Amino acid sequence: MLLSIIALCCYYIWVVRNINARRPPESIIPLFYPPENMLPGGMHYFMQMRYKDKVLAADVVNMGVLGLLLIDYKKGVLRSSYTLTKKDNKTDNTLYQELLDALFPSGKETLSVGSTHNQNVQNAVKTTERYYQEKLYSYFDYHSKEM
């Protein structure tokens, strides 16, 4: 009798675990608003207190969300690449306008991003790093008072 109760409990646990395993994961909805006048790359720069490549990536993705760029992903056999296409939209944000000028100089409309030695991307990195250093450097306390 006791053995059948234990077997029944084990079967119940097995059924419940299988039902829960098939359930699709639920969406995560953030319950906060980002700080006003703070760009995604600026948030990363502020939290890490230094520049990383993710800062430019966050801003490029946000430019796509705002409709300034069209981002196209092409999967290759050995190497995948992204193609950025400039749209005709103008922006009031000075960083995004500088990034558009750095990524698409002299009237170019498309940029293939897949090579690490792309001069346009390197110019965009310098532009982004300079912008955030000028804008957010004063928030960091490095104890640099001269004595």
Side-chain angles (χ1 to χ4, degrees), residues 3 19 50 52 59 93 103 109 118 128:
L3 189 58
I19 290 173
R50 64 177 179 211
K52 289 185 175 181
D59 283 329
N93 188 310
L103 290 171
E109 295 295 323
N118 191 328
T128 311

Side-chain angles (χ1 to χ4, degrees), residues 45-86:
Y45 184 87
F46 186 77
M47 296 298 292
Q48 298 298 318
M49 295 176 54
R50 64 177 179 211
Y51 185 86
K52 289 185 175 181
D53 293 335
K54 292 179 183 180
V55 173
L56 178 63
D59 283 329
V60 168
V61 169
N62 194 41
M63 289 170 71
V65 169
L66 295 175
L68 300 171
L69 293 176
L70 178 65
I71 303 171
D72 186 36
Y73 174 72
K74 292 187 181 179
K75 185 171 182 160
V77 177
L78 297 176
R79 181 182 287 185
S80 301
S81 68
Y82 289 91
T83 303
L84 305 178
T85 305
K86 181 180 178 181

